[in-house]
Amino acid sequence: MNNEQDLEQENAALRAQLQRAMKGVDAPPYLAARIRANIAQPQRSYGWLPKLSAVAAMLMACVGLGVAYHLGHLRFSAASQNEYIASVSNSIPTLMRIGLGDHLHCSYFRKFRTEVPAVEELAKEMGPSHEELVRIVRKHIPAEFNLMLAHECRFHGRRFIHLSLKNDSQLMSLVIAAKKDGESFDTEGLMPELAHSGIPIYRTGVQRFEMASFESRDHLVYFISDFSKEQNLSLMAAMSSEVKSFLNAKTL
Amino acid sequence: MNTEVPSAALADMPVTERFEVEAMVHVNDIFRAALRILQDRGRAEDVSQEVFLQAWKSFDKFEAGTNCKAWLFKILFHCVNHNRRKWFRFPLLKDTEEFLESNLTFTPSVPEHITDEEILSALDKIPADYRSVVLLVDVEEFAYKEAADILTVPIGTVMSRLSRGRKLLREQLADVARSYGIGRVAQEGRV
């Protein structure tokens, strides 16, 4: 072949032969029937999947919010906070409820200011008669916990001295309540968890709150934190004799 | 495009009927192309079925009256490429380029008497990338632009692959002729 026209003619002939050869092969007769049968079946649709995922995510969020609410988070109104205090208090001995209630009311539900107040400032706010208490607490609690609150308060008609410390994730309170009508852990029927320097220390716990308590002549003393039982007890034990001596020398 | 049924009439048809009229008429074309590309009847049947199932699933996106055959071929090549790694490796084009450089120095003539089996066998022997273009342009008579769209390659690539594919096909057919002991003299003189 020497010219383009011949080549084109030959290409055309080749194309025609190729087409003829291709047409000579047919799909098996069952193929079209199989395709029709397949497309006639209702196809499995995954269109519901995003909806189901959204519902699942929403359910999980609801469960998460429910759990958070149960654990005392998202309690913005006084009524819901009181409801939470009542619900967690139900599972601990009556005398322990006094300290836990004040801790929850004054510390747990409180929005602390971001800047850490000066210890001296807090000690001054409490008055000279209680400055020593701030010093004792500061001495025994690890330095990473900032003293955020030191005040006298009232909760459910009872007077308290309340010191609250926190770090980035944990909160603790030393709560001191004046005894009423011969209240005593001993008469309540509680068994001390340990005795330190002759001071019986009682414990209980509910949810994330670990409590250790002892009593002085006129006071019930509670240490409540997010620590483990052992940590909480050992901190309370470390402070107990100094706090007791301080309280026995004072009247609220 | 379906030339027998007007677009307006197609648009009014129930979707199953429209699929039958527009798509199912190409079962043979799709199967033949799949068979030539894959060179295996079982795989060709499976892929053809997959093509029509995918087409059915997205038939609502297909615009009635447009080129359904080109759309089906586009799905076919998508399915083939999707399954290619699972089944086998097509020869790489890079290797083929080297092969062409060293072998395509002349255009051999096509033997006069050649059977359908021989021409299909020759087609099967050329590399897949070239075979696909020859199938689309020379057999199915798609325009270069349509072939480029089906294969998702530039139109220039289609043209060069077609030219080389045809030469390779001639070369394969010339081999057939040589095996019959004909065409030696004619080939020796051509450059």
Side-chain angles (χ1 to χ4, degrees), chain B residues 50-123:
Chain B
E50 196 181 332
V51 167
F52 282 91
L53 280 176
Q54 287 204 13
W56 171 246
K57 280 179 194 169
S58 51
F59 198 54
D60 56 329
K61 296 188 188 88
F62 174 72
E63 198 183 325
T66 59
N67 194 340
C68 190
K69 186 176 168 183
W71 183 60
L72 291 170
F73 268 82
K74 194 171 173 69
I75 298 172
L76 169 67
F77 279 93
H78 173 79
C79 289
V80 167
N81 288 332
H82 183 72
N83 290 312
R84 182 159 59 173
R85 277 198 201 97
K86 191 171 71 181
W87 288 335
F88 54 85
R89 284 187 66 216
F90 282 153
L92 291 174
L93 195 55
K94 202 175 173 184
D95 301 336
T96 314
E97 296 278 0
E98 286 163 11
F99 169 81
L100 288 171
E101 288 303 316
S102 57
N103 290 281
L104 281 184
T105 51
F106 68 92
T107 306
S109 63
V110 179
E112 282 181 18
H113 302 290
I114 198 145
T115 65
D116 288 352
E117 287 75 25
E118 283 165 343
I119 200 166
L120 291 179
S121 167
L123 180 66

Coordinates of all heavy atoms in Angstrom, one line a residue, chain B residues 50-123:
Chain B
E50 N -23.3 -6.3 36.2 CA -23.0 -5.2 37.1 C -23.3 -3.9 36.4 O -23.8 -3.0 37.0 CB -21.5 -5.3 37.5 CG -21.1 -4.5 38.7 CD -19.7 -4.6 39.0 OE1 -19.0 -5.7 38.7 OE2 -19.1 -3.7 39.6
V51 N -22.9 -3.8 35.1 CA -23.1 -2.6 34.4 C -24.6 -2.2 34.4 O -25.0 -1.1 34.7 CB -22.6 -2.7 32.9 CG1 -23.1 -1.5 32.1 CG2 -21.1 -2.8 32.9
F52 N -25.5 -3.2 34.1 CA -26.9 -2.9 34.0 C -27.5 -2.7 35.4 O -28.4 -1.9 35.5 CB -27.6 -4.0 33.2 CG -27.4 -3.9 31.8 CD1 -26.3 -4.5 31.1 CD2 -28.2 -3.0 31.0 CE1 -26.1 -4.3 29.8 CE2 -27.9 -2.8 29.6 CZ -26.9 -3.5 29.0
L53 N -27.0 -3.3 36.4 CA -27.5 -3.1 37.7 C -27.1 -1.7 38.2 O -28.0 -0.9 38.8 CB -26.9 -4.1 38.7 CG -27.6 -5.4 38.8 CD1 -26.9 -6.4 39.7 CD2 -29.1 -5.3 39.1
Q54 N -25.9 -1.3 37.9 CA -25.5 0.1 38.3 C -26.3 1.1 37.5 O -26.7 2.2 38.0 CB -24.0 0.3 38.0 CG -23.2 -0.4 39.1 CD -21.8 0.2 39.2 OE1 -21.5 1.3 38.8 NE2 -20.9 -0.6 39.9
A55 N -26.5 0.8 36.2 CA -27.3 1.7 35.4 C -28.7 1.9 35.9 O -29.2 3.0 36.0 CB -27.3 1.2 33.9
W56 N -29.2 0.7 36.3 CA -30.6 0.8 36.8 C -30.7 1.6 38.1 O -31.6 2.4 38.3 CB -31.1 -0.7 37.1 CG -32.4 -0.8 37.8 CD1 -32.6 -1.3 39.1 CD2 -33.7 -0.4 37.4 NE1 -33.9 -1.2 39.4 CE2 -34.6 -0.7 38.4 CE3 -34.1 0.2 36.2 CZ2 -36.0 -0.4 38.3 CZ3 -35.5 0.5 36.1 CH2 -36.4 0.2 37.1
K57 N -29.7 1.4 39.0 CA -29.7 2.2 40.2 C -29.6 3.7 40.0 O -30.1 4.4 40.8 CB -28.5 1.7 41.1 CG -28.7 0.4 41.8 CD -27.5 0.1 42.6 CE -27.6 -1.4 43.1 NZ -26.3 -1.8 43.7
S58 N -28.9 4.0 39.0 CA -28.7 5.5 38.8 C -29.4 6.0 37.5 O -29.1 7.0 37.0 CB -27.2 5.9 38.7 OG -26.6 5.0 37.8
F59 N -30.4 5.2 37.1 CA -31.1 5.5 35.9 C -31.9 6.9 36.1 O -32.1 7.6 35.1 CB -32.1 4.4 35.5 CG -32.6 4.5 34.1 CD1 -31.7 4.5 33.1 CD2 -33.9 4.5 33.8 CE1 -32.1 4.6 31.7 CE2 -34.4 4.5 32.5 CZ -33.4 4.6 31.5
D60 N -32.2 7.2 37.3 CA -32.9 8.5 37.5 C -32.0 9.7 37.2 O -32.5 10.8 36.9 CB -33.4 8.6 39.0 CG -32.3 8.4 40.0 OD1 -31.3 7.7 39.7 OD2 -32.3 9.1 41.0
K61 N -30.7 9.4 37.2 CA -29.8 10.5 36.8 C -29.5 10.6 35.3 O -29.0 11.6 34.8 CB -28.4 10.3 37.5 CG -28.5 10.4 39.0 CD -27.1 10.3 39.7 CE -27.2 10.2 41.2 NZ -27.3 8.8 41.6
F62 N -29.9 9.6 34.6 CA -29.7 9.6 33.2 C -30.8 10.4 32.5 O -32.0 10.2 32.8 CB -29.7 8.1 32.6 CG -29.7 8.0 31.1 CD1 -28.5 8.4 30.5 CD2 -30.8 7.7 30.4 CE1 -28.5 8.3 29.1 CE2 -30.7 7.6 29.0 CZ -29.6 8.0 28.4
E63 N -30.4 11.2 31.6 CA -31.4 12.1 31.0 C -32.0 11.4 29.8 O -31.2 10.9 28.9 CB -30.6 13.4 30.5 CG -31.6 14.5 30.2 CD -30.8 15.7 29.6 OE1 -29.7 15.9 30.1 OE2 -31.3 16.4 28.7
A64 N -33.3 11.3 29.8 CA -34.0 10.5 28.7 C -33.6 11.1 27.4 O -33.6 12.3 27.2 CB -35.5 10.6 29.0
G65 N -33.4 10.2 26.4 CA -33.2 10.6 25.1 C -31.7 10.9 24.8 O -31.4 11.1 23.6
T66 N -30.8 11.0 25.7 CA -29.4 11.2 25.4 C -28.8 9.9 25.1 O -29.5 8.8 25.1 CB -28.7 11.9 26.6 OG1 -28.8 11.1 27.8 CG2 -29.3 13.3 26.9
N67 N -27.5 9.9 24.9 CA -26.8 8.7 24.4 C -26.6 7.6 25.5 O -25.7 7.6 26.3 CB -25.4 9.1 23.9 CG -24.8 7.9 23.0 OD1 -25.2 6.8 23.2 ND2 -23.9 8.3 22.2
C68 N -27.6 6.7 25.6 CA -27.6 5.7 26.7 C -26.5 4.7 26.4 O -25.9 4.2 27.4 CB -29.0 5.0 26.7 SG -29.2 3.9 28.1
K69 N -26.2 4.4 25.2 CA -25.2 3.4 24.9 C -23.8 4.0 25.4 O -23.0 3.2 26.0 CB -25.1 3.2 23.4 CG -24.1 2.1 23.0 CD -24.2 1.9 21.5 CE -23.1 1.0 21.0 NZ -23.1 0.8 19.5
A70 N -23.5 5.2 25.1 CA -22.3 5.8 25.6 C -22.2 5.8 27.1 O -21.2 5.5 27.7 CB -22.1 7.2 25.1
W71 N -23.4 6.1 27.8 CA -23.5 6.1 29.2 C -23.2 4.7 29.8 O -22.4 4.5 30.7 CB -24.9 6.5 29.6 CG -25.1 6.7 31.1 CD1 -24.5 7.5 31.9 CD2 -26.1 6.0 31.8 NE1 -25.0 7.3 33.2 CE2 -26.0 6.4 33.2 CE3 -27.1 5.0 31.5 CZ2 -26.8 5.9 34.2 CZ3 -27.9 4.5 32.5 CH2 -27.8 5.0 33.8
L72 N -23.7 3.6 29.1 CA -23.5 2.3 29.5 C -22.0 1.9 29.3 O -21.5 1.2 30.2 CB -24.4 1.3 28.7 CG -25.9 1.4 29.0 CD1 -26.7 0.6 28.0 CD2 -26.2 0.9 30.5
F73 N -21.4 2.3 28.3 CA -20.0 2.0 28.0 C -19.1 2.7 29.1 O -18.1 2.1 29.5 CB -19.6 2.4 26.6 CG -19.8 1.3 25.6 CD1 -21.0 1.0 25.1 CD2 -18.7 0.4 25.3 CE1 -21.1 -0.1 24.2 CE2 -18.8 -0.6 24.4 CZ -20.1 -0.9 23.9
K74 N -19.6 3.9 29.5 CA -18.8 4.6 30.5 C -18.9 3.8 31.8 O -17.8 3.6 32.5 CB -19.4 6.0 30.7 CG -18.5 6.9 31.5 CD -19.0 8.3 31.5 CE -18.2 9.2 32.4 NZ -16.9 9.5 32.0
I75 N -20.1 3.3 32.1 CA -20.2 2.4 33.3 C -19.4 1.1 33.2 O -18.7 0.7 34.1 CB -21.7 2.1 33.6 CG1 -22.5 3.4 33.8 CG2 -21.8 1.1 34.8 CD1 -24.0 3.2 33.9
L76 N -19.4 0.6 31.9 CA -18.6 -0.6 31.7 C -17.2 -0.4 32.0 O -16.6 -1.2 32.7 CB -18.8 -1.1 30.2 CG -17.9 -2.2 29.8 CD1 -18.2 -3.5 30.5 CD2 -17.9 -2.4 28.3
F77 N -16.6 0.6 31.5 CA -15.1 0.8 31.7 C -14.9 1.2 33.2 O -13.8 0.8 33.7 CB -14.6 1.9 30.8 CG -14.3 1.3 29.4 CD1 -15.2 1.4 28.4 CD2 -13.1 0.7 29.2 CE1 -15.0 0.8 27.2 CE2 -12.8 0.1 28.0 CZ -13.8 0.2 26.9
H78 N -15.9 1.8 33.8 CA -15.7 2.1 35.3 C -15.7 0.7 36.0 O -14.8 0.5 36.9 CB -16.9 3.0 35.8 CG -16.9 3.1 37.2 ND1 -16.0 4.0 37.9 CD2 -17.6 2.5 38.2 CE1 -16.2 3.9 39.2 NE2 -17.2 3.0 39.4
C79 N -16.6 -0.1 35.7 CA -16.7 -1.5 36.4 C -15.4 -2.3 36.1 O -14.9 -2.9 37.0 CB -17.9 -2.3 35.9 SG -19.4 -1.6 36.4
V80 N -14.9 -2.2 34.9 CA -13.7 -3.0 34.5 C -12.5 -2.5 35.3 O -11.8 -3.2 35.9 CB -13.5 -2.9 33.0 CG1 -12.1 -3.4 32.6 CG2 -14.5 -3.7 32.2
N81 N -12.4 -1.2 35.3 CA -11.3 -0.6 36.1 C -11.4 -0.9 37.6 O -10.4 -1.1 38.2 CB -11.2 0.9 35.9 CG -10.7 1.3 34.5 OD1 -10.0 0.5 33.9 ND2 -11.2 2.4 33.9
H82 N -12.6 -0.9 38.0 CA -12.9 -1.1 39.5 C -12.5 -2.6 39.8 O -11.9 -2.8 40.9 CB -14.3 -0.9 39.8 CG -14.7 -1.1 41.2 ND1 -14.3 -0.2 42.2 CD2 -15.3 -2.1 41.9 CE1 -14.7 -0.6 43.4 NE2 -15.3 -1.8 43.2
N83 N -12.8 -3.5 38.9 CA -12.5 -4.9 39.2 C -11.1 -5.3 38.7 O -10.7 -6.5 39.0 CB -13.5 -5.8 38.5 CG -14.9 -5.7 39.2 OD1 -14.9 -5.8 40.4 ND2 -15.9 -5.4 38.4
R84 N -10.4 -4.4 38.0 CA -9.2 -4.8 37.3 C -8.1 -5.4 38.3 O -7.5 -6.4 38.1 CB -8.6 -3.6 36.6 CG -7.3 -3.9 35.8 CD -7.1 -2.9 34.8 NE -7.0 -1.5 35.3 CZ -6.7 -0.5 34.5 NH1 -6.4 -0.7 33.2 NH2 -6.6 0.7 35.0
R85 N -8.0 -4.6 39.4 CA -7.0 -5.1 40.4 C -7.3 -6.4 41.0 O -6.4 -7.2 41.3 CB -6.9 -4.0 41.5 CG -6.0 -2.9 41.2 CD -5.5 -2.1 42.4 NE -5.1 -0.8 42.0 CZ -5.9 0.3 42.1 NH1 -7.1 0.1 42.6 NH2 -5.5 1.4 41.7
K86 N -8.6 -6.7 41.2 CA -9.0 -7.9 41.7 C -8.7 -9.1 40.8 O -8.3 -10.2 41.3 CB -10.5 -7.8 42.0 CG -11.1 -8.9 42.9 CD -12.5 -8.7 43.2 CE -13.5 -8.8 42.1 NZ -14.9 -8.5 42.4
W87 N -8.9 -8.9 39.5 CA -8.8 -10.0 38.6 C -7.4 -10.2 38.0 O -6.8 -11.2 38.1 CB -9.7 -9.8 37.4 CG -11.2 -9.9 37.8 CD1 -11.7 -10.7 38.8 CD2 -12.3 -9.3 37.2 NE1 -13.0 -10.6 38.9 CE2 -13.5 -9.8 37.9 CE3 -12.5 -8.5 36.1 CZ2 -14.7 -9.4 37.5 CZ3 -13.7 -8.1 35.7 CH2 -14.9 -8.6 36.4
F88 N -6.9 -9.1 37.5 CA -5.5 -9.2 36.9 C -5.0 -7.8 36.6 O -5.7 -6.8 36.7 CB -5.6 -10.0 35.5 CG -6.6 -9.4 34.6 CD1 -6.3 -8.4 33.7 CD2 -7.9 -9.9 34.5 CE1 -7.3 -7.8 32.9 CE2 -8.9 -9.4 33.7 CZ -8.6 -8.4 32.9
R89 N -3.8 -7.8 36.2 CA -3.2 -6.5 35.8 C -3.1 -6.4 34.3 O -2.6 -7.3 33.6 CB -1.8 -6.4 36.3 CG -1.7 -6.1 37.8 CD -0.3 -5.9 38.3 NE 0.2 -4.7 37.7 CZ 1.4 -4.5 37.3 NH1 2.3 -5.5 37.4 NH2 1.8 -3.4 36.8
F90 N -3.7 -5.3 33.8 CA -3.5 -5.0 32.3 C -2.1 -4.7 32.1 O -1.4 -4.1 33.0 CB -4.4 -3.8 31.9 CG -5.8 -4.2 31.7 CD1 -6.8 -3.2 31.9 CD2 -6.2 -5.4 31.4 CE1 -8.1 -3.4 31.7 CE2 -7.6 -5.7 31.2 CZ -8.5 -4.7 31.4
P91 N -1.5 -5.0 30.9 CA -0.2 -4.6 30.7 C -0.1 -3.1 30.8 O -1.0 -2.3 30.4 CB 0.1 -5.0 29.2 CG -1.0 -6.0 28.9 CD -2.2 -5.7 29.8
L92 N 1.0 -2.6 31.4 CA 1.1 -1.1 31.5 C 1.4 -0.5 30.2 O 2.1 -1.0 29.4 CB 2.2 -0.8 32.5 CG 2.0 -1.2 34.0 CD1 3.2 -1.0 34.8 CD2 0.8 -0.4 34.5
L93 N 0.8 0.7 30.0 CA 0.9 1.4 28.8 C 2.4 1.8 28.5 O 2.8 1.8 27.4 CB 0.1 2.7 28.8 CG -0.2 3.3 27.5 CD1 -0.8 2.4 26.5 CD2 -1.1 4.5 27.6
K94 N 3.1 2.0 29.6 CA 4.5 2.4 29.4 C 5.3 1.3 28.7 O 6.1 1.6 27.7 CB 5.1 2.7 30.8 CG 6.3 3.5 30.8 CD 6.8 3.8 32.2 CE 8.1 4.5 32.2 NZ 8.6 4.7 33.5
D95 N 5.0 0.1 29.1 CA 5.7 -1.1 28.5 C 5.3 -1.1 27.0 O 6.1 -1.4 26.1 CB 5.3 -2.4 29.1 CG 5.7 -2.4 30.6 OD1 6.6 -1.6 30.9 OD2 5.1 -3.1 31.4
T96 N 4.0 -0.9 26.8 CA 3.5 -1.0 25.4 C 4.1 0.1 24.5 O 4.4 -0.2 23.4 CB 1.9 -0.7 25.4 OG1 1.4 -1.5 26.5 CG2 1.3 -1.1 24.1
E97 N 4.3 1.3 25.1 CA 5.0 2.3 24.3 C 6.3 1.9 23.8 O 6.7 2.1 22.6 CB 5.1 3.6 25.2 CG 3.9 4.2 25.6 CD 3.2 5.1 24.6 OE1 3.8 5.3 23.5 OE2 2.1 5.7 24.9
E98 N 7.1 1.2 24.7 CA 8.4 0.8 24.3 C 8.3 -0.3 23.2 O 9.0 -0.3 22.2 CB 9.1 0.2 25.5 CG 9.6 1.3 26.5 CD 9.9 0.7 27.8 OE1 10.0 -0.5 28.0 OE2 10.1 1.6 28.7
F99 N 7.3 -1.1 23.4 CA 7.0 -2.2 22.4 C 6.7 -1.6 21.1 O 7.2 -2.0 20.0 CB 5.8 -3.1 22.9 CG 5.3 -4.0 21.9 CD1 6.0 -5.2 21.7 CD2 4.2 -3.7 21.2 CE1 5.5 -6.1 20.7 CE2 3.7 -4.6 20.2 CZ 4.3 -5.8 20.0
L100 N 5.9 -0.6 21.1 CA 5.5 0.1 19.8 C 6.7 0.7 19.1 O 6.9 0.6 17.9 CB 4.4 1.1 20.1 CG 3.1 0.6 20.5 CD1 2.2 1.7 20.9 CD2 2.5 -0.1 19.3
E101 N 7.5 1.4 19.9 CA 8.7 2.1 19.4 C 9.5 1.2 18.6 O 10.1 1.5 17.5 CB 9.5 2.8 20.5 CG 8.8 4.0 21.1 CD 8.5 5.1 20.1 OE1 9.4 5.3 19.3 OE2 7.4 5.6 20.2
S102 N 9.7 0.0 19.1 CA 10.6 -1.0 18.5 C 9.9 -1.8 17.4 O 10.6 -2.5 16.6 CB 11.2 -1.9 19.5 OG 10.2 -2.6 20.2
N103 N 8.6 -1.8 17.4 CA 7.9 -2.7 16.4 C 7.1 -2.1 15.3 O 6.9 -2.7 14.3 CB 7.0 -3.7 17.2 CG 7.8 -4.7 18.0 OD1 8.3 -5.7 17.5 ND2 7.9 -4.4 19.3
L104 N 6.6 -0.9 15.6 CA 5.7 -0.3 14.6 C 6.4 0.7 13.6 O 6.2 1.8 13.6 CB 4.6 0.5 15.3 CG 3.5 -0.3 15.9 CD1 2.4 0.5 16.4 CD2 2.9 -1.2 14.8
T105 N 7.3 0.1 12.9 CA 8.1 1.0 12.0 C 7.4 1.0 10.6 O 7.7 1.8 9.8 CB 9.5 0.4 11.8 OG1 9.4 -0.9 11.6 CG2 10.3 0.7 13.1
F106 N 6.5 0.1 10.4 CA 5.7 0.1 9.1 C 4.3 -0.3 9.3 O 4.0 -0.9 10.4 CB 6.4 -0.8 8.1 CG 6.3 -2.3 8.4 CD1 5.3 -3.0 8.0 CD2 7.3 -2.9 9.2 CE1 5.2 -4.4 8.3 CE2 7.2 -4.2 9.5 CZ 6.2 -5.0 9.1
T107 N 3.4 0.0 8.3 CA 2.0 -0.4 8.4 C 1.8 -1.7 7.6 O 1.8 -1.6 6.3 CB 1.1 0.7 7.9 OG1 1.5 1.9 8.7 CG2 -0.3 0.4 8.1
P108 N 1.7 -2.8 8.2 CA 1.5 -4.0 7.4 C 0.1 -4.0 6.7 O -0.8 -3.4 7.3 CB 1.7 -5.1 8.4 CG 1.5 -4.6 9.7 CD 1.7 -3.1 9.6
S109 N 0.0 -4.7 5.6 CA -1.3 -4.7 4.9 C -2.1 -5.8 5.6 O -1.6 -6.7 6.2 CB -1.1 -5.0 3.4 OG -0.5 -6.3 3.3
V110 N -3.4 -5.7 5.3 CA -4.3 -6.7 5.9 C -4.5 -7.8 4.9 O -4.8 -7.6 3.8 CB -5.7 -6.1 6.2 CG1 -6.7 -7.1 6.8 CG2 -5.5 -4.9 7.1
P111 N -4.3 -9.1 5.4 CA -4.5 -10.2 4.5 C -6.0 -10.2 4.0 O -6.9 -9.8 4.7 CB -4.3 -11.4 5.3 CG -3.6 -10.9 6.6 CD -4.0 -9.5 6.7
E112 N -6.1 -10.7 2.7 CA -7.5 -10.6 2.1 C -8.4 -11.6 2.7 O -9.6 -11.3 2.9 CB -7.3 -10.8 0.6 CG -6.8 -9.6 -0.1 CD -6.7 -9.8 -1.6 OE1 -7.4 -10.8 -2.1 OE2 -6.0 -9.1 -2.3
H113 N -8.0 -12.8 3.0 CA -8.9 -13.8 3.5 C -8.6 -14.1 4.9 O -7.6 -14.7 5.2 CB -8.8 -15.1 2.6 CG -9.1 -14.8 1.2 ND1 -10.3 -14.5 0.7 CD2 -8.2 -14.8 0.1 CE1 -10.3 -14.3 -0.6 NE2 -9.0 -14.5 -1.0
I114 N -9.4 -13.6 5.7 CA -9.2 -13.7 7.1 C -10.6 -14.0 7.8 O -11.6 -13.4 7.4 CB -8.5 -12.5 7.7 CG1 -7.9 -12.9 9.1 CG2 -9.4 -11.3 7.9 CD1 -6.6 -12.2 9.3
T115 N -10.6 -14.9 8.7 CA -11.9 -15.3 9.3 C -12.2 -14.4 10.5 O -11.3 -13.7 11.0 CB -11.8 -16.7 9.8 OG1 -10.9 -16.8 10.9 CG2 -11.5 -17.7 8.8
D116 N -13.5 -14.5 10.9 CA -13.9 -13.6 12.1 C -13.1 -14.0 13.3 O -12.7 -13.2 14.1 CB -15.4 -13.8 12.4 CG -16.2 -13.2 11.3 OD1 -15.7 -12.4 10.5 OD2 -17.5 -13.3 11.3
E117 N -12.9 -15.3 13.5 CA -12.1 -15.8 14.7 C -10.7 -15.2 14.7 O -10.2 -14.8 15.7 CB -12.1 -17.4 14.7 CG -13.3 -18.1 15.1 CD -14.4 -18.0 13.9 OE1 -13.9 -17.9 12.7 OE2 -15.6 -18.1 14.2
E118 N -10.1 -15.2 13.5 CA -8.8 -14.7 13.4 C -8.7 -13.2 13.7 O -7.8 -12.8 14.4 CB -8.2 -15.0 12.0 CG -7.8 -16.4 11.8 CD -7.6 -16.8 10.4 OE1 -8.0 -16.1 9.4 OE2 -6.9 -17.9 10.1
I119 N -9.7 -12.5 13.2 CA -9.6 -11.0 13.5 C -9.9 -10.7 14.9 O -9.3 -9.8 15.5 CB -10.6 -10.2 12.5 CG1 -10.1 -8.8 12.4 CG2 -12.0 -10.3 12.9 CD1 -10.8 -8.0 11.3
L120 N -10.8 -11.5 15.5 CA -11.0 -11.3 17.0 C -9.8 -11.7 17.8 O -9.5 -11.1 18.8 CB -12.3 -12.1 17.4 CG -13.6 -11.5 16.9 CD1 -14.8 -12.4 17.3 CD2 -13.8 -10.1 17.3
S121 N -9.2 -12.8 17.4 CA -8.0 -13.3 18.1 C -6.9 -12.3 18.0 O -6.2 -12.0 18.9 CB -7.6 -14.6 17.4 OG -6.3 -15.0 17.9
A122 N -6.8 -11.6 16.8 CA -5.8 -10.6 16.6 C -6.1 -9.4 17.5 O -5.2 -8.8 18.1 CB -5.7 -10.1 15.1
L123 N -7.4 -9.0 17.6 CA -7.8 -7.9 18.4 C -7.5 -8.2 19.9 O -7.0 -7.3 20.7 CB -9.3 -7.7 18.3 CG -9.9 -6.6 19.1 CD1 -9.4 -5.2 18.6 CD2 -11.4 -6.6 19.0

